[in-house]
Amino acid sequence: MNPRDFPVVCVGGSAGGLDAYTRLLRNMPADMGVAIVIVNHLRTVATHLHEILPSFTAMPVELITEKLLIRPNHVFIIPEKRELHLDDGEFRLEPISKPHGWPNVITVFLRSLSQNWDGKLIAVIVSGFDGDGAAALCEIKEVGGTTIAQKLDTAIQPDMPESAIASGYIDFVLSPEDIAVEIRRIASADKAAI
């Protein structure tokens, strides 16, 4: 198996995202063989997700640092005030490039994944304001990835999944619990194909 040929799951959200992240992680086994990257768009407020989420998963939860290696069976958290890229299996951090309004950190990371990751990609858009992530879903689909939006009536703030659905590039609209089921199914199919 190519050491960089495991599925990467990008979970993008903001307002109300914590509820979705905890419901999702609670229903995912620690040995699925996928890397989970939570991209929560924060411009100024410090993130505490790496302190909160270990209570909901047996997987190690790490705050991303420059050149950290992406690995399966880990949960990775974007730090505040940064855009995230993936290059040669390592995370790269840059200052937020959009000077005003909502940041587009989810879109930036999804585009980087579509250009720089050979393994399977799963893009998940959950609760949040604005429409970050929607603009990159077509690129995830173009490289054979799977796209999932949180079911609107299960999201605390439905703007972000609603924008993702409106893009026309969403494969599944599911509750966080059912998103976990679908990720497990994709991960199992990926292992069976090896």
Side-chain angles (χ1 to χ4, degrees):
M1 179 179 172
N2 181 331
R4 294 186 188 152
D5 196 22
F6 52 86
V8 174
V9 181
C10 172
V11 183
S14 75
L18 178 60
D19 174 71
Y21 308 146
T22 57
R23 290 166 64 188
L24 181 66
L25 290 175
R26 206 182 270 135
N27 289 281
M28 296 177 74
D31 59 353
M32 283 187 308
V34 305
I36 299 166
V37 184
I38 294 179
V39 183
N40 195 58
H41 72 191
L42 294 171
R43 183 175 286 284
T44 56
V45 181
T47 187
H48 295 285
L49 290 175
H50 59 296
E51 298 162 356
I52 297 167
L53 294 180
S55 300
F56 300 91
T57 178
M59 288 182 272
V61 178
E62 296 183 60
L63 186 66
I64 294 168
T65 54
E66 181 70 11
K67 294 194 174 183
L68 179 68
L69 190 67
I70 192 167
R71 302 183 302 287
N73 303 320
H74 283 67
V75 178
F76 298 97
I77 309 293
I78 188 174
E80 69 278 359
K81 304 180 192 173
R82 293 290 180 268
E83 287 181 353
L84 184 61
H85 301 265
L86 197 66
D87 182 28
D88 200 25
E90 296 177 340
F91 290 109
R92 297 284 192 269
L93 295 167
E94 295 179 7
I96 290 175
S97 58
K98 188 177 173 190
H100 304 292
W102 292 102
N104 60 349
V105 292
I106 303 167
T107 298
V108 167
F109 184 60
L110 288 175
R111 286 189 170 140
S112 180
L113 279 178
S114 69
Q115 294 162 11
N116 299 308
W117 188 251
D118 294 331
K120 193 173 289 292
L121 296 176
I122 305 168
V124 179
I125 305 296
V126 299
S127 179
F129 286 115
D130 193 44
D132 192 9
L137 295 173
C138 61
E139 291 156 68
I140 296 296
K141 293 298 297 168
E142 283 170 4
V143 297
T146 302
T147 55
I148 306 172
Q150 183 176 357
K151 195 174 176 188
L152 301 184
D153 63 4
T154 71
I156 291 172
Q157 177 45 251
D159 287 8
M160 200 175 281
E162 193 169 37
S163 295
I165 294 164
S167 76
Y169 292 104
I170 286 291
D171 294 313
F172 302 99
V173 179
L174 303 167
S175 69
E177 293 77 9
D178 287 338
I179 293 170
V181 170
E182 185 59 27
I183 292 170
R184 293 199 311 262
R185 186 194 67 74
I186 293 167
S188 296
D190 199 58
K191 282 182 184 175
I194 294 168

